[in-house]
């Protein structure tokens, strides 16, 4: 299944006999909460999902956005109307990060029929509504483990023996700035691959052939096993996992990412433009 859907394709499915459950996952790192924007206007039928509170556990030793409690995540998805065979489409309004986090969690939890709206809310040309829907309770029960997941030791090994991509902005990878986490730099051996390069000027994913060429040049064609991906806290890296799937590569998410890695003073840190 193609992990993304166009706005025109979504409009057709919403008008069809089995419309998808819509998840509005508006989220911006360091920005205002997405709920007021959702209440001001959302795609008809969409349910707001709070990334910080519902798609992540509280910050702590596992980083700024640890994976949520599995039972709690299942309850959130059932509240949104998700069942075992229910098609789901997630969208946001900023680089696909929030939507990809929902997409990855659902896939990891065993739900196959989930896609991201390509281009996000900006691509939608249909009407918006302010009514907050109350969907019929779904029956989805998470079965985690359907997608590969890395811990810190796995990520270190992937950087040494395979390919580990750092999805953050280049200046954070190089250690020139670090506005959020405790230490600047990157995991030794990781390769810089900012998520912004996965999108075109309209915020849509670049064609599969373009993405495949990008990741092949970064080393994905020679990597043994899934490509590892991390970012600051496991959110933007989900967008990179999505781009890799579009391009035809298997990948594994390091959910704790730099916010977990950098909390441990015993973990090595590299700086500069090279993997180190």
């Amino acid at each position: 299944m193609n992990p993304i859907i166009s706005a025109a394709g979504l409009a057709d499915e919403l008008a069809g006999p089995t419309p998808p459950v819509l998840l509005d996952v508006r989220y911006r790192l360091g920005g205002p909460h997405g709920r007021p924007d959702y209440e001001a206007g959302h795609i008809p039928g969409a349910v707001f999902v709070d990334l910080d509170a519902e798609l992540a556990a509280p910050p702590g030793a596992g980083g700024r956005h640890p994976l949520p409690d599995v039972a709690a995540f299942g309850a959130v998805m059932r509240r949104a109307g998700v069942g075992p065979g229910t098609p789901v489409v997630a969208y946001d309004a900023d680089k696909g990060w929030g939507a990809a986090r929902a997409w990855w969690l659902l896939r990891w939890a065993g739900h196959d029929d989930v896609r991201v709206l390509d281009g996000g809310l900006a691509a939608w040309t249909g009407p918006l509504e302010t009514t907050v829907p109350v969907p019929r309770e779904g029956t989805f029960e998470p079965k985690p483990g359907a997608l590969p997941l890395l811990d810190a030791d796995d990520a270190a090994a992937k950087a040494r023996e395979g390919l580990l991509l750092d999805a953050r902005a280049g200046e954070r990878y190089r250690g020139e700035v670090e506005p959020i986490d405790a230490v600047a730099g990157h995991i030794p051996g990781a390769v810089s691959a900012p998520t912004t390069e996965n999108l075109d000027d309209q915020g849509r994913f670049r064609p599969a052939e373009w993405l495949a060429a990008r990741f092949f040049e970064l080393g994905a064609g020679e990597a043994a096993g899934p490509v590892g991906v991390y970012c600051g806290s496991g959110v933007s890296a989900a967008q990179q996992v999505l781009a890799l799937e579009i391009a035809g590569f298997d990948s594994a998410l390091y959910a704790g990412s730099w916010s977990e890695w950098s909390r441990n003073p015993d973990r090595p840190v590299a700086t500069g433009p090279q993997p180190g």
Side-chain angles (χ1 to χ4, degrees):
M1 172 181 289
N2 191 337
I4 57 175
I5 184 172
S6 68
L10 176 59
D12 288 344
E13 291 194 12
L14 289 174
T18 56
V21 167
L22 282 178
L23 305 179
D24 185 310
V25 199
R26 273 183 263 190
Y27 163 83
R28 183 171 297 172
L29 180 64
H33 197 276
R35 180 79 192 201
D37 286 341
Y38 165 81
E39 292 177 349
H42 50 267
I43 298 176
V47 174
F48 181 74
V49 179
D50 187 328
L51 189 148
D52 285 324
E54 297 178 320
L55 301 184
R64 286 185 281 110
H65 288 108
L67 296 187
D69 174 80
V70 171
F73 173 68
V76 169
M77 292 298 103
R78 290 192 294 274
R79 173 181 60 81
V82 178
T86 309
V88 180
V89 173
Y91 70 89
D92 59 34
D94 185 40
K95 298 185 286 293
W97 291 2
R101 172 75 169 205
W103 169 84
W104 186 90
L105 280 169
L106 277 164
R107 288 284 307 279
W108 171 74
H111 192 83
D112 292 329
D113 195 351
V114 54
R115 291 160 291 170
V116 167
L117 175 59
D118 194 18
L121 187 61
W124 178 256
T125 59
L128 300 178
E129 70 175 14
T130 58
T131 301
V132 176
V134 181
R136 182 178 179 180
E137 184 84 2
T139 57
F140 174 65
E141 293 291 344
K143 297 177 181 177
L147 290 182
L149 182 65
L150 305 179
D151 62 17
D153 291 338
D154 296 330
K158 184 66 68 173
R160 292 192 306 267
E161 303 162 6
L163 177 64
L164 181 67
L165 297 180
D166 185 316
R168 298 173 300 161
E171 60 269 22
R172 291 183 68 192
Y173 170 88
R174 295 188 295 270
E176 296 166 2
V177 298
E178 183 44 67
I180 306 168
D181 294 312
V183 179
H186 60 267
I187 296 174
V191 175
S192 180
T195 59
T196 51
E197 296 182 22
N198 296 326
L199 307 178
D200 63 18
D201 293 341
Q202 285 73 49
R204 296 180 175 88
F205 282 94
R206 295 185 185 275
E209 296 79 7
W210 191 100
L211 291 170
R214 181 196 186 204
F215 293 124
F216 188 87
E217 185 175 351
L218 290 169
E222 301 175 0
V227 176
V229 184
Y230 78 98
C231 59
S233 66
V235 174
S236 65
Q239 190 250 54
Q240 191 96 288
V241 171
L242 178 60
L244 281 157
E245 179 155 325
I246 294 169
F249 293 103
D250 294 329
S251 59
L253 178 70
Y254 172 26
S257 286
W258 187 249
S259 62
E260 178 188 44
W261 182 278
S262 61
R263 285 173 183 259
N264 186 341
D266 295 330
R267 295 278 180 197
V269 172
T271 57
Q274 300 303 318

